[in-house]
Amino acid sequence: MALILLAATILLADLAIKAVVEEADPEDFPRKLEATKGFIIIHRSHNAGFPMGVLKDKPELVKVIPLSVLSGVAGVFLWLYPKKGHVLEKTGASLVLAGGLSNLWDRWKRGYVVDYFSFRVKKLEKIVFNIGDMAVFLGAAVMFIAQVIEVVRER
């Protein structure tokens, strides 16, 4: 139950932040998040494609591909959920689902994903993220680590 609560919290928090960003005056962006001494920059960015705008000219694909992937991840999560153990796999899948669903909601409802922060790091400064993106990345990394651990244990 904790993993479902975690996923719901991430999903709802990301959607709430996106709503606040969308309602704000576009002239307020970009701006430094003072609490981070300018390390995090707040943006109001609309991405109609995948990361870096890939396939932005194919809106139906940008909706259907994530729906298909998330359906598969949901199937894995539902298959693993009643089983004992598999904590890393379940955690990773719940993070991927939370972030993926938030971005999928945007794609279907708005036609684009709202991204709202970047890091003041040279190679990352121009890439704008949202919490959903971070959840998908972290969840995928956790699932990958779980698989590596399983392979190592089997040897």
Side-chain angles (χ1 to χ4, degrees), residues 125-136:
E125 198 165 315
K126 293 184 180 189
I127 302 171
V128 184
F129 303 95
N130 60 49
I131 290 174
D133 298 335
M134 295 290 112
V136 168

Side-chain angles (χ1 to χ4, degrees), residues 33-142:
L33 186 60
E34 294 305 324
T36 66
K37 297 182 178 166
F39 178 69
I40 296 177
I41 301 165
I42 305 299
H43 298 266
R44 181 180 181 195
S45 179
H46 298 156
N47 186 355
F50 289 126
M52 317 299 210
V54 172
L55 292 179
K56 65 183 175 187
D57 57 335
K58 306 275 189 208
E60 289 309 309
L61 272 179
V62 173
K63 289 178 181 178
V64 172
I65 292 172
L67 178 61
S68 301
V69 171
L70 284 174
S71 296
V73 173
V76 168
F77 181 78
L78 291 173
W79 176 70
L80 287 172
Y81 191 73
K83 296 181 178 203
K84 288 191 179 220
H86 303 282
V87 175
L88 286 177
E89 293 94 332
K90 291 176 191 177
T91 302
S94 68
L95 290 169
V96 169
L97 286 171
L101 286 171
S102 176
N103 288 338
L104 186 64
W105 174 265
D106 273 3
R107 286 185 174 103
W108 284 84
K109 196 74 170 165
R110 293 184 169 108
Y112 55 84
V113 173
V114 178
D115 292 321
Y116 50 82
F117 72 90
S118 67
F119 299 104
R120 201 178 71 198
V121 176
K122 287 186 183 189
K123 293 187 178 186
L124 291 178
E125 198 165 315
K126 293 184 180 189
I127 302 171
V128 184
F129 303 95
N130 60 49
I131 290 174
D133 298 335
M134 295 290 112
V136 168
F137 177 78
L138 180 60
V142 167

